Amino acid sequence: VAAIELHEQALAIYRRADDGAGISRSLHLLAENLRDTGELDRATEMLKQAAAIDAERGDIHSQMASLHSLGDVALDQRDPHTASGRYLQALIICADQHDQRSIAYCVAGLAAVAALRGDPHAAGRLWAAAETIETRINLRLLAKERVRYEHTLINLHGTDEFEAGCQAGRSQTPEQITQELLALQRDQASQHELGSGSQSGV
C-alpha cells in the first residue's frame, strides 16, 4: 500500500511537469504494484496509458515492456486470447531489436498461454525455448515473474505431452520458434484486417 501511494505521488508530480517518460514509468510501476494486490482492471488501464505514451514518444523499449506486462495481467485474469495478443505484440518489438532477454520473457508468457489453452505440447516447446535463451545469455527471468509462469505450468511437468514438447523445443533454435510465432501474429493480423474489411463492405 505504501508503495502504491508513493508511485501515485510520483505520478502526480510528473503529470504537473508534463514529463512523458516519468509519467509512463510511474504508470508502469503503479500498475505492477496494483497487479500484486489483485487490482487487475486498474493495472490494465494504467499499462494501456503507459504503452500509448511510449508509442507517442517513440520509446519502443518501454512500449514493449508495457505490452508484455499487459500480457501478464491478462494471464492473471485467465484470458489467454488477450494475453497471447499482447505477448505477440511485444515479441515483434523485441525481435526487431534483437533483445534476447525480452524475447525470453515473451516466449515464457506464451508458454503459459498454451498451458491455459490446454495445449501441453506447445507449452513445453515454448518453455524449453525460453530456457534455451536463458542459458545462452546466462541470465534467468526475474524470480517473481518466473514463479508466475511456472505456477501455470506446474500441473504439466512430467506429463508425456509436455515433456515431448520440451524435447521438440530443444531440437529447434529459439530463432526458429520466434519466427513461427511472428508468422502467427502476421496471420492473425491479416485475418483481422480481412474480417474488418468484409464488415465494412470492402
Side-chain angles (χ1 to χ4, degrees), residues 32-65:
E32 293 292 349
N33 279 271
L34 289 169
R35 179 189 173 200
D36 289 339
T37 62
E39 296 184 66
L40 301 181
D41 289 339
R42 283 188 67 199
T44 296
E45 182 55 37
M46 290 185 173
L47 286 168
K48 286 181 177 179
Q49 291 179 36
I53 292 169
D54 295 331
E56 185 176 342
R57 294 175 54 247
D59 186 344
I60 56 176
H61 181 78
S62 294
Q63 182 188 8
M64 178 276 299

Side-chain angles (χ1 to χ4, degrees), residues 4 8 11 24-51 65-77 86 148:
I4 291 174
E8 287 175 335
L11 176 60
S24 170
R25 184 166 57 253
S26 292
L27 284 167
H28 194 120
L29 292 171
L30 185 54
E32 293 292 349
N33 279 271
L34 289 169
R35 179 189 173 200
D36 289 339
T37 62
E39 296 184 66
L40 301 181
D41 289 339
R42 283 188 67 199
T44 296
E45 182 55 37
M46 290 185 173
L47 286 168
K48 286 181 177 179
Q49 291 179 36
S66 293
L67 289 169
H68 179 272
S69 291
L70 279 165
D72 284 344
V73 175
L75 193 68
D76 289 350
Q77 294 172 318
R86 296 303 189 186
R148 279 190 167 117

Side-chain angles (χ1 to χ4, degrees), residues 14 25 29 37 47 56-57 62 77 106 109 116 148-149 151-153 170 174 180 192 196 198:
Y14 283 126
R25 184 166 57 253
L29 292 171
T37 62
L47 286 168
E56 185 176 342
R57 294 175 54 247
S62 294
Q77 294 172 318
C106 292
L116 280 186
R148 279 190 167 117
Y149 299 138
H151 180 73
T152 308
L153 300 166
R170 296 186 192 103
E180 287 180 22
H192 178 73
S196 299
S198 62

Side-chain angles (χ1 to χ4, degrees), residues 57-177:
R57 294 175 54 247
D59 186 344
I60 56 176
H61 181 78
S62 294
Q63 182 188 8
M64 178 276 299
S66 293
L67 289 169
H68 179 272
S69 291
L70 279 165
D72 284 344
V73 175
L75 193 68
D76 289 350
Q77 294 172 318
R78 314 294 286 183
D79 181 356
H81 178 75
T82 299
S84 176
R86 296 303 189 186
Y87 288 137
L88 288 170
Q89 285 179 302
L91 183 63
I92 289 171
I93 297 174
C94 52
D96 185 59
Q97 298 298 306
H98 306 289
D99 182 346
Q100 293 290 304
R101 181 173 180 270
S102 297
I103 289 172
Y105 275 95
C106 292
V107 174
L110 288 164
V113 167
L116 280 186
R117 286 176 165 165
D119 189 343
H121 188 276
R125 195 167 73 97
L126 293 171
W127 187 248
E131 289 190 321
T132 297
I133 297 172
E134 284 184 309
T135 301
R136 175 189 292 177
I137 64 177
N138 195 30
L139 185 68
R140 287 172 67 82
L141 305 181
L142 290 174
K144 179 179 175 181
E145 297 304 317
R146 188 182 182 88
V147 166
R148 279 190 167 117
Y149 299 138
E150 288 181 331
H151 180 73
T152 308
L153 300 166
I154 193 167
N155 292 327
L156 301 181
H157 284 283
T159 64
D160 290 344
E161 287 185 85
F162 182 80
E163 296 305 326
C166 288
Q167 185 174 353
R170 296 186 192 103
S171 70
Q172 293 181 276
T173 66
E175 288 75 18
Q176 288 173 320
I177 293 176

